[in-house]
Amino acid sequence: MKIIHIADLHLGKSLAGQSLAEDQRDWMEKFVALVREEKPAAVLIAGDVYDRAAPNDDAVKLLDDFLTKLLSVDDRLVVLMVAGNHDSGRKLAFGAGIFRKHRLHIVGETNAEVEQVVLEDEHGPVTFWLLPFTFPARIQQVLGEETPRDYTSAIRALLARQKIDVRGRNVLVAHQAVTWEGKESDFGGSETVIGGVGNVDGALFDGFDYVALGHIHKAQAVGRETMRYAGSPLCYHFDEAKHGGKGAVCVTLGAKGAVAVEVKPIAPLHRVREVRGTYEGILADERGHHAPNEYVKVVLTDRYLTPEVAETIRALFTGRGSLALAVTSEHAASMSGGGGGGACPERTLDEKFTAFWQDRHAGAAPDEEELRLIRKVAELVMSRESSIEADAEALVDYAMEGR
């Protein structure tokens, strides 16, 4: 059985103020052509379908057109889609009961019984398990029992309730920040990351033959070749330009234990590139660089950015059919001794909050109760599944539990 895994479409996304609707539409047309060529039994979409919980009209129309064309490729093709942390699960799964009858399975919220779809091939059944972005409080709510508050233990409790026959073939579609032996995956540049909150140990998923992940924008395997992030289809941040391998993940499931993985590149409408150097050096290099259809970020290292300098640089790229979406300068940072050279290591949520607290409390550190509450706030922010009023009520209840 052949399946194709994609994730993190982020429909409605813009880059430095430039709408990417045209780029996303172009990518979708190329992806539909790939599906027509590869003839998979299923397409897996692992979350962050939209860029925000309340998508704009253009994004909704894009998804409508995409799914319509996708399901028209073959009347046997099945599409399996879960919500990510950027999606409103309830809105994304509107009409799911009706769509299910037409080979489109959408799961927006976590339930006590993880939704399954079973497909057959010459080797027998393959069970697909659909797990949208979830968090411990939601799992405790649906299980109706006390569950641990860390993500790994909570998801372990949820999976323990499922009747997973590990002797058969199983595929998981999930949207989480998955680690392997304590090591986080490489981030692509524009993911929502809050100091390590939400990490899930990949060893939980050992019973699945293939794990189709969403959330991290860099395409990569996690621990083993058969547990993978598909990555975002396009570069949604200039930092993502340094990561290659954008494409769709084609997976072939043979008999139990036989899984082959191949990434099929899909060329973007606009290449994303960062240019860094001196003003004169950039002008000289780029005048001899004739690649059109680029989105470019220019970083000057030797002079302050003036309107005249910015206009000259933008005109250079516009003249060959590209756009300099961002023109910035590091000169002020380097002159002031700030360095501007290396990136600061990502601090944990506790470290960030402690620094903030000490700044406002004459150097005194927060106690464990204050740290416990800020972790809960981060969890509620990441979940994006309830109203502000519901979040406030949950936070008050949580605070009272610890007193």
Side-chain angles (χ1 to χ4, degrees):
M1 179 183 297
K2 182 178 289 187
I3 57 180
I4 299 183
H5 165 207
I6 58 175
D8 296 280
L9 303 182
H10 285 277
L11 302 182
K13 185 78 171 176
S14 61
L15 178 64
Q18 172 71 27
S19 169
L20 295 177
E22 181 184 5
D23 299 77
Q24 291 173 332
R25 185 177 294 106
D26 173 80
W27 184 91
M28 288 174 170
E29 290 175 357
K30 292 171 181 174
F31 178 76
V32 170
L34 175 66
V35 170
R36 188 173 290 112
E37 178 182 341
E38 294 293 327
K39 299 179 174 59
V43 169
L44 318 180
I45 306 177
D48 279 359
V49 179
Y50 291 120
D51 189 53
R52 53 186 65 186
N56 60 36
D57 292 347
D58 288 342
V60 174
K61 182 67 165 60
L62 269 176
L63 181 61
D64 183 22
D65 290 346
F66 178 52
L67 294 175
T68 299
K69 292 176 181 177
L70 201 53
L71 290 164
S72 298
V73 169
D74 189 317
D75 59 12
R76 295 165 296 180
L77 177 66
V78 175
V79 176
L80 311 176
M81 182 164 68
V82 302
N85 59 298
H86 277 249
D87 300 309
S88 164
R90 293 175 185 175
K91 292 177 182 177
L92 185 68
F94 169 79
I98 297 172
F99 296 144
R100 194 177 298 120
K101 298 176 182 178
H102 299 279
R103 299 175 285 116
L104 173 59
H105 298 259
I106 307 173
V107 179
E109 295 182 298
T110 303
N111 294 306
E113 182 178 349
V114 177
E115 183 161 332
Q116 309 141 53
V117 176
V118 180
L119 301 180
E120 299 265 354
D121 68 3
E122 66 272 21
H123 299 290
V126 177
T127 304
F128 294 84
W129 302 80
L130 308 183
L131 182 63
F133 175 77
T134 194
F135 53 102
R138 172 66 182 182
I139 293 174
Q140 179 174 327
Q141 178 186 9
V142 300
L143 293 186
E145 60 188 41
E146 186 68 26
T147 56
R149 295 193 179 280
D150 69 280
Y151 279 68
T152 294
S153 299
I155 292 179
R156 180 184 291 114
L158 178 66
L159 293 178
R161 292 277 294 266
Q162 313 308 311
K163 297 177 180 178
I164 303 174
D165 182 3
V166 295
R167 298 168 299 177
R169 294 176 296 166
N170 295 277
V171 173
L172 176 68
V173 185
H175 189 96
Q176 298 288 160
V178 177
T179 64
W180 187 258
E181 296 181 344
K183 182 181 178 182
E184 292 185 338
S185 301
D186 293 334
F187 295 107
S190 60
E191 299 92 337
T192 301
V193 182
I194 306 181
V197 172
N199 286 346
V200 177
D201 186 353
L204 284 185
F205 307 137
D206 283 348
F208 296 94
D209 297 81
Y210 182 77
V211 181
L213 295 172
H215 186 55
I216 305 300
H217 290 190
K218 178 184 175 183
Q220 60 194 290
V222 182
R224 55 184 168 102
E225 282 300 306
T226 54
M227 180 160 61
R228 303 187 67 89
Y229 283 106
S232 58
L234 303 170
C235 288
Y236 291 137
H237 190 284
F238 284 104
D239 284 349
E240 294 177 18
K242 62 189 177 186
H243 299 306
K246 295 286 189 185
V249 184
C250 290
V251 182
T252 302
L253 300 168
K256 177 67 177 180
V259 183
V261 177
E262 182 183 8
V263 177
K264 297 281 188 177
I266 298 178
L269 182 62
H270 294 90
R271 178 191 175 200
V272 174
R273 186 164 62 99
E274 181 175 305
V275 177
R276 182 182 300 267
T278 65
Y279 177 66
E280 294 298 339
I282 288 173
L283 292 183
D285 291 345
E286 294 301 321
R287 281 174 178 145
H289 188 92
H290 301 295
N293 298 325
E294 290 185 316
Y295 291 146
V296 181
K297 176 181 179 180
V298 177
V299 182
L300 296 173
T301 59
D302 69 329
R303 66 172 62 192
Y304 296 109
L305 186 65
T306 66
E308 294 76 18
V309 167
E311 180 57 32
T312 298
I313 290 173
R314 293 186 191 279
L316 172 63
F317 287 96
T318 302
R320 65 162 185 252
S322 295
L323 290 175
L325 296 182
V327 182
T328 64
S329 173
E330 290 182 337
H331 185 58
S334 62
M335 291 296 288
S336 65
C344 295
E346 178 68 22
R347 294 184 294 170
T348 67
L349 174 68
D350 284 5
E351 289 170 338
K352 291 177 180 177
F353 180 69
T354 296
F356 171 82
W357 185 273
Q358 289 176 322
D359 183 59
R360 284 157 176 75
H361 293 82
D367 60 25
E368 182 56 34
E369 177 64 16
E370 281 133 5
L371 288 172
R372 188 175 73 89
L373 288 175
I374 200 64
R375 295 182 196 119
K376 180 63 177 179
V377 171
E379 178 184 305
L380 291 170
V381 169
M382 288 185 70
S383 74
R384 299 179 179 221
E385 291 199 5
S386 57
S387 65
I388 293 175
E389 292 80 5
D391 285 349
E393 182 178 350
L395 186 59
V396 170
D397 289 344
Y398 186 68
M400 295 305 294
E401 288 175 11
R403 296 191 182 278

